[in-house]
Amino acid sequence: MTNRRLLSVIAATAILLSGCSPLAFVRLPIDEAAGRTTAARSAESRTATVADISSVVVQPTATAIPDAARAKLDQDEAVLINLYERVSPAVVSISVSRNTGSGARRTGSGSGFVIDKSGHIVTNNHVVADADRINVIFADGTRARAEVVGTDSYSDLALLKVNRPAERLVTVELADSDEVKVGQRVVAIGNPFGLAGTMTLGIVSARGRVLPEASSSGQGAFSNPDIIQTDAAINPGNSGGPLLDTRGRVIGVNTAIRTDNQLGFGQPVNSGVGFAVPSNTVRRVVRALLNEGRVRYPYLGIQGAFSLAEVGDQFDLPIERGVVVSGVVDGGPVARAGLRGSVISRTGSISRLGDVILAFNGQPVRSYEDLIATLVKNHQPGDRVTLTVWRDGRQLDLVVTLGERPR
């Protein structure tokens, strides 16, 4: 992904900021046409006589819901009520405090969920980053101090631990996020704007989205792949909370929203486009943090890419699918294998075409995001992989030994 495209995504994607915010309440409006408040008109109506009221004829509602449809609605509601009653005790509010260095302290909040009887809790890295005090508030209102087991900025995940008796912990199950389908209903539970235990409903809007890492190491753009997009309402304070299927299993961790809407003091608010880190990423990251204390990522050393649709016509390429390499990191794995980047003009366009990646280990590459997702999900540093590229009118294979992504 080019710097130009990366910046546009970052500008449009608002990370759910930690921190509670004041709530805005709207007073009842006055009836401007009559110049009287609703309450005044209500008081006048009490002068009506019993005869006036008895003369009103009540007609059945023309749009009454058929019994069969009502039963179906009742059943759907029962599923959601049951889900909330089972899962909400496993969802926690996370309160953090940070020393600003000037003697003052900055506070914030987010969400999380308990994953085992040992007291491990998953949340977002950006919720607890740089915090020197972390408190977890459970659904029953009790509080416990939490310690950080490990964090991973690339996936924006953190693993916490609390000392709490196992019998007082309610846990959630992680689903297989590879089985998630676009269109399936999902539920988010969290603490938007500090409103603990809030539940919202939506669907999976898309799969396979990517989010840029908040801070780049300077070693080429990195994208958090395979992100789940949802229209379930998530807002500041939902960060780190679970996105659930209708069986109550976690399919993702609510992480970010894309919005142009902001509150008066700059906090982003939901516009129907939310993003969650998939549960299979959670499973992999938690395992690595528990076993090694860190997460190791494979590394190609590609600095960015253009889609074929962006440049195919400009260079009259006789191929239908592929990713145009915009640049490579000097001395990186693909540079050592001989991959060539493009020459980019000052305007951001390609003045000389580099290699076009057609396939990764024999599998066609549809997009740069597809390439990164396959790399992260299926490979480790040290693996040898084959890139099939288009160069100067012919195909060739380059064997790459994957490195470890620099921190």
Side-chain angles (χ1 to χ4, degrees):
M1 180 180 294
T2 64
N3 291 335
R4 171 173 54 82
R5 296 178 59 209
L6 180 59
L7 288 173
S8 67
V9 173
I10 293 175
T13 302
I15 294 293
L16 296 185
L17 303 177
S18 301
C20 303
S21 60
L23 300 178
F25 294 92
V26 180
R27 296 182 183 276
L28 291 173
I30 63 170
D31 185 344
E32 294 182 352
R36 298 171 299 169
T37 65
T38 303
R41 288 190 286 108
S42 177
E44 292 177 6
S45 70
R46 287 196 291 272
T47 62
T49 65
V50 173
D52 291 333
I53 296 173
S54 63
S55 66
V56 177
V57 178
V58 179
Q59 297 291 342
T61 303
T63 57
I65 301 174
D67 290 344
R70 179 69 258 177
K72 179 64 167 61
L73 291 173
D74 290 343
Q75 184 180 26
D76 289 345
E77 289 175 356
V79 168
L80 295 175
I81 292 169
N82 175 265
L83 184 157
Y84 184 81
E85 291 175 345
R86 287 186 295 110
V87 177
S88 62
V91 181
V92 300
S93 175
I94 298 175
S95 175
V96 302
S97 177
R98 301 173 174 91
N99 192 332
T100 62
S102 59
R105 300 191 68 81
R106 184 162 56 93
T107 61
S109 67
S111 305
F113 52 92
V114 183
I115 59 170
D116 61 29
K117 291 290 186 177
S118 297
H120 288 109
I121 293 171
V122 169
T123 186
N124 279 142
N125 176 63
H126 76 262
V127 170
V128 299
D130 301 322
D132 51 26
R133 184 178 301 166
I134 305 171
N135 287 317
V136 170
I137 301 91
F138 291 88
D140 62 3
T142 58
R143 179 185 301 262
R145 182 67 62 86
E147 300 296 332
V148 177
V149 176
T151 63
D152 179 46
S153 63
Y154 288 143
S155 63
D156 195 18
L157 293 174
L159 184 64
L160 311 180
K161 191 177 189 301
V162 294
N163 290 321
R164 187 176 171 93
E167 61 271 16
R168 296 181 61 191
L169 291 171
V170 178
T171 64
V172 290
E173 176 187 357
L174 296 181
D176 180 357
S177 54
D178 287 345
E179 299 298 320
V180 170
K181 305 295 184 185
V182 174
Q184 77 176 67
R185 288 198 298 176
V186 291
V187 166
I189 300 179
N191 310 291
F193 304 113
L195 297 171
T198 297
M199 174 177 173
T200 56
L201 178 67
I203 64 168
V204 173
S205 304
R207 288 188 50 193
R209 300 301 193 201
V210 297
L211 291 176
E213 188 216 356
S215 60
S216 174
S217 64
Q219 299 294 322
F222 179 82
S223 296
N224 190 1
D226 219 22
I227 297 294
I228 297 169
Q229 181 184 329
T230 180
D231 68 350
I234 52 178
N235 284 290
N238 274 115
S239 288
L243 186 67
L244 306 146
D245 63 17
T246 51
R247 293 174 60 181
R249 303 175 303 176
V250 176
I251 66 169
V253 179
N254 297 316
T255 296
I257 57 176
R258 179 166 178 163
T259 181
D260 294 324
N261 302 322
Q262 291 187 342
L263 298 176
F265 40 89
Q267 278 193 319
V269 292
N270 179 267
S271 59
V273 183
F275 302 101
V277 177
S279 56
N280 285 354
T281 299
V282 176
R283 186 178 286 108
R284 174 174 53 81
V285 168
V286 167
R287 185 185 304 118
L289 291 177
L290 287 174
N291 293 337
E292 302 180 39
R294 66 189 185 103
V295 185
R296 301 171 68 236
Y297 283 88
Y299 178 58
L300 285 170
I302 296 176
Q303 290 180 313
F306 291 89
S307 71
L308 201 61
E310 292 178 285
V311 300
D313 289 342
Q314 176 185 348
F315 294 97
D316 195 24
L317 298 175
I319 49 180
E320 297 181 348
R321 179 183 296 165
V323 169
V324 179
V325 179
S326 63
V328 299
V329 176
D330 290 340
V334 293
R336 291 194 298 268
L339 190 73
R340 297 178 183 174
S342 301
V343 175
I344 310 300
S345 69
R346 291 183 178 181
T347 62
S349 62
I350 297 178
S351 58
R352 190 178 73 201
L353 186 69
D355 289 339
V356 182
I357 302 175
L358 304 177
F360 181 89
N361 275 353
Q363 297 299 313
V365 172
R366 296 173 297 177
S367 65
Y368 185 56
E369 293 78 13
D370 183 41
L371 173 64
I372 295 299
T374 301
L375 177 72
V376 172
K377 289 171 62 175
N378 301 324
H379 294 281
Q380 295 291 327
D383 288 354
R384 289 168 63 87
V385 300
T386 301
L387 296 180
T388 302
V389 303
W390 177 271
R391 178 188 296 172
D392 299 330
R394 62 189 183 92
Q395 287 189 26
L396 66 153
D397 290 336
L398 302 176
V399 178
V400 181
T401 300
L402 299 176
E404 180 176 349
R405 180 160 188 79
R407 290 287 175 176

